[in-house]
Each structure stands twice: as C-alpha cells, then as structure tokens.
C-alpha cells in the first residue's frame, strides 16, 4: 500500500492511499518457479538417461567401423531407445501434473484399451470387479494402466515367473472400496525400494527410461487420488490407487 499526504484549502490535509492487490502476481511468480523447477528436473533426467544408450551407440559404431556389420543393428536399437526417451519426457513436460476433461469412464474399457496398447506377450490379464465407472481424464487414466502394465511385464518376469518356460506372468486388475489396483505374481519390489520407486529416474532395469512410474504418480495425484506400492498375495508387486470415487452404476 502506497500513501501520500495531500494539502487542501486552508490548513487541511488528507492522507490518500493506493491499495494494490498483488495476489495474482504472487501466484504467477510461484507458478513460474514451479515451471523452472520442472524444466531443471527434465534436463537432469534427460542428461542422465541418454548417457547409457549414447555410450552403447558409440561403442557399436566403433565396432562397425572396424568391420563388424552386425553392430549397425545395435546402433539402430540405441537410437530408437533415445527417441523413446525423448518422446516420453516431452509428453510428460507438455502435460505435467494436469488433467483435462473429467468424465464418467468404464474402468473395464480403459483396462482393455491399455492392455492392447502394450506389448504384453507372455503375460495373462485377470480382471476382478472392474465393471464399474469412475470419473477421470480418459487419456491420462489410460496412461496410468499402460505404464503399470509395461512395468509389470518388463520387471515382473526377472525371477520365478520367467524361470519356468511354461510359466506365464499373471497381471490382475481389481477394485477395492477406496479405488483400484494392479498386481502381478512376478518377482515383486524389495521393501527398501518401495519409497523411492516413484522418484524420477528410478528403474530396476539397466535400459529403463526410469520415468513410467513417475508419470503414474503425477497423473494419479492430479486426479486427487493417491498411489502406493506393496506386495501381492503371490509375492509380486501390487500398486494401489486410493481416494477414487466410483459412479453409482457402470458406464454403458
């Protein structure tokens, strides 16, 4: 607030003040700070994640120059991996922590679409009580299930599920009173890693982008929900999303 004294006729004077609402300006400043922090985060992730495939490409390029023709395929794979990383990070940067139009959705339909969109070869889907509807952003909820399915297939078959050639990883999707879950009968996630598994850059695989579960967490929280990881009854990983309000009836 700025004030000034104004002299009037005679010996009279008045104090005049100008009140300026800076709430909006402060809000913009905080938002700009958050955007800058997010850009720093993406730059850090990109620099960290690209080093491995770039190193692989350089190594095999040297081998190719030395006469190993098969090395060209490895270089191509590394470049494809880099492109995947860039697309994933750009997608997260553009959408951030926001959701678009929220509408009633058939949970069963979203699960089916996500399953068909991911390479789930060698895995079996089991559904339990997903014939319910939930209010959510369709595209972003689809991303949640795609990333959870992809994570289960990529990391859930490292041990007992893959030990037997006749054994298949089973991924189960179901609902609870508070939300829904995705679990598997794979190797599970060690208790010591469960607090950091949603952190940016985390990956149990050497060639993982390390951001799929970060995307899951941000989308879930943007809907006002919460996500946590625990152990399934079969000893695998179980991701639970809570705080979800279901519709009174399923969507046709």
């Amino acid at each position: 607030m700025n004030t000034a004294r104004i002299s009037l006729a005679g010996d009279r004077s008045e104090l005049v003040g100008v009140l300026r609402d800076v709430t909006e300006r402060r809000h913009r400043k905080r938002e700009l700070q958050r955007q800058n922090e997010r850009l720093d985060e993406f730059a850090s992730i990109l620099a960290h994640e690209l080093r491995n495939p770039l190193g692989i490409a350089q190594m095999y390029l040297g081998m190719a120059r030395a006469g190993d023709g098969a090395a060209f395929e490895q270089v191509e794979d590394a470049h494809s991996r880099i492109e995947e990383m860039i697309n994933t990070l750009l997608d997260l940067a553009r959408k951030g922590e926001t959701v678009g139009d929220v509408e009633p959705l058939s949970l069963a339909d979203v699960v089916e679409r996500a399953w068909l969109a991911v390479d789930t070869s060698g895995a079996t889907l089991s559904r339990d009580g997903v014939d319910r509807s939930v209010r959510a952003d369709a595209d972003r909820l689809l991303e949640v299930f795609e990333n959870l399915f992809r994570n289960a297939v990529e990391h859930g078959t490292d041990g007992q599920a893959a030990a037997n050639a006749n054994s298949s990883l089973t991924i189960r999707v179901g609902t609870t009173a508070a939300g829904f879950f995705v679990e598997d009968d794979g190797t599970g996630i060690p208790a010591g890693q469960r607090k950091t598994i949603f952190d940016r850059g985390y990956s149990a695989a050497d060639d993982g982008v390390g951001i799929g579960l970060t995307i899951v967490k941000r989308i879930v929280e943007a809907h006002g929900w919460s996500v946590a990881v625990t152990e399934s009854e079969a000893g695998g990983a179980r991701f639970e999303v809570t705080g979800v309000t279901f519709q009174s009836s399923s969507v046709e």
Side-chain angles (χ1 to χ4, degrees), residues 177-188:
F180 56 85
F181 64 86
V182 176
E183 65 179 16
D184 61 63
D185 59 355
T187 57

Side-chain angles (χ1 to χ4, degrees), residues 20-232:
R20 180 179 300 171
D21 187 356
V22 296
T23 303
E24 182 62 26
R25 186 170 64 184
R26 289 177 178 173
H27 175 73
R28 289 198 301 269
K29 184 178 180 180
R30 286 195 297 268
E31 183 60 28
L32 180 60
Q33 183 178 359
R34 289 184 62 194
Q35 290 177 357
N36 288 336
E37 290 173 351
R38 192 175 301 151
L39 286 173
D40 287 342
E41 178 184 18
F42 291 139
S44 176
I45 295 173
L46 196 58
H48 178 270
E49 295 296 334
L50 289 182
R51 284 193 183 98
N52 185 50
L54 278 175
I56 292 174
Q58 290 170 350
M59 178 185 70
Y60 280 105
L61 184 59
M63 294 172 61
R65 286 172 176 166
D68 185 353
F72 282 112
E73 183 177 347
Q74 299 296 333
V75 175
E76 183 179 5
D77 288 344
H79 286 162
S80 297
R81 189 59 177 165
I82 291 172
E83 183 178 8
E84 179 186 349
M85 291 178 181
I86 291 173
N87 289 337
T88 300
L89 291 170
L90 283 176
D91 185 62
L92 181 59
R94 288 167 180 156
K95 296 179 180 178
E97 301 168 357
T98 63
V99 295
D101 294 334
V102 174
E103 58 183 329
L105 301 171
S106 165
L107 192 60
D109 287 348
V110 176
V111 169
E112 182 67 20
R113 287 176 57 202
W115 186 258
L116 294 175
V118 176
D119 181 5
T120 55
S121 56
T124 302
L125 177 64
S126 172
R127 285 164 284 199
D128 182 13
V130 296
D131 54 340
R132 307 179 70 179
S133 64
V134 59
R135 291 190 62 83
D137 179 324
D139 292 335
R140 307 234 68 190
L141 184 59
L142 183 66
E143 285 184 75
V144 168
F145 282 105
E146 286 178 352
N147 278 291
L148 290 178
F149 289 158
R150 190 176 294 111
N151 180 78
V153 171
E154 291 179 353
H155 305 307
T157 57
D158 295 335
Q160 70 258 24
N164 185 344
N166 297 319
S167 178
S168 171
L169 179 75
T170 297
I171 301 174
R172 178 169 170 255
V173 181
T175 57
T176 65
F180 56 85
F181 64 86
V182 176
E183 65 179 16
D184 61 63
D185 59 355
T187 57
I189 300 169
Q193 297 180 17
R194 293 174 191 168
K195 289 184 179 180
T196 59
I197 196 169
F198 294 107
D199 291 352
R200 62 179 177 83
Y202 174 92
S203 177
D206 293 337
D207 61 348
V209 176
I211 200 169
L213 294 179
T214 302
I215 293 175
V216 168
K217 184 174 187 292
R218 290 189 175 180
I219 295 175
V220 165
E221 292 181 346
H223 280 86
W225 307 334
S226 298
V227 61
V229 60
T230 182
E231 184 176 313
S232 69

Side-chain angles (χ1 to χ4, degrees), residues 15 165 205:
L15 190 66

